[in-house]
Amino acid sequence: MEKHKASSPISCDFKLGYHNCDDGNKRGKEGKQHRYAFQTRSQIDVLDDGYRWRKYGEKSVKNNKFPRSYYRCSHRGCSVKKQIQRHWRDEEIVVTTYEGIHIHPVEKSTESFEQILRNHHIYILSL
DNA sequence: CGTCTTTGACCCGCGC
DNA sequence: GCGCGGGTCAAAGACG
């Protein structure tokens, strides 16, 4: 699912910070992780992409009245994370950030990732 | 009864 | 050292 390119230009005045997660320090797990994000115009903040997610945290962000939710793939051995956050200005815009790669097939076969992309007018920001 | 949410505490790096 | 901002843990409860 990492081959979806952003076909439509986005006018976003916010930028996703690429956190400088240095490998080989305290964490020592995986150093470089795939991280990409997209934003959505939707009232629903949690897009069902076919995987099962378990929420493990929620923190409020500065300069943003809406909190940010942290999810993790509930499959054993799969440590894909994602966080969902609303835009600071428009409540309608939802920013979803993925991190990691799934090591197992998708469980639910309801919607494919492409369909979700089309249905919700998702714009991929960076990958 | 198993899975997932909720929510405060905890940890860590950074600046003062 | 202390507070802050951001990320995670884990116990208890909700929900099917």
Side-chain angles (χ1 to χ4, degrees):
Chain A
M1 59 161 70
E2 59 240 31
K3 77 187 299 289
H4 297 75
K5 274 281 186 153
S7 53
S8 23
I10 1 115
S11 65
C12 57
D13 35 359
F14 93 111
K15 54 188 78 165
L16 275 163
Y18 197 175
H19 278 175
N20 198 13
C21 28
D22 256 319
D23 42 331
N25 260 354
K26 48 193 181 59
R27 294 282 175 83
K29 294 188 67 177
E30 46 248 277
K32 199 166 278 203
Q33 306 172 10
H34 302 71
R35 172 191 294 244
Y36 56 97
F38 49 79
Q39 67 176 205
T40 301
R41 282 193 173 273
S42 158
Q43 316 282 57
I44 314 148
D45 22 2
V46 182
L47 288 79
D48 199 359
D49 42 8
Y51 294 98
R52 304 177 55 197
W53 301 97
R54 140 180 136 259
K55 190 176 190 173
Y56 70 92
E58 174 174 296
K59 290 289 277 189
S60 58
V61 202
K62 212 182 175 178
N63 302 328
N64 197 347
K65 39 182 183 173
F66 302 103
R68 169 195 293 155
S69 308
Y70 299 92
Y71 291 86
R72 177 174 280 170
C73 184
S74 61
H75 201 96
R76 196 192 93 83
C78 185
S79 59
V80 180
K81 287 178 278 193
K82 82 171 173 183
Q83 41 183 257
I84 297 177
Q85 167 185 22
R86 291 203 170 267
H87 206 275
W88 24 291
R89 203 63 181 174
D90 297 324
E91 184 186 338
E92 294 213 341
I93 297 191
V94 176
V95 184
T96 307
T97 306
Y98 279 86
E99 186 173 330
I101 332 164
H102 290 279
I103 60 170
H104 60 95
V106 193
E107 304 205 352
K108 289 168 63 177
S109 56
T110 56
E111 283 181 289
S112 74
F113 198 71
E114 278 196 6
Q115 282 182 354
I116 299 178
L117 285 180
R118 290 207 196 102
N119 289 343
H120 298 279
H121 304 100
I122 292 179
Y123 308 129
I124 293 193
L125 296 180
S126 67
L127 54 147

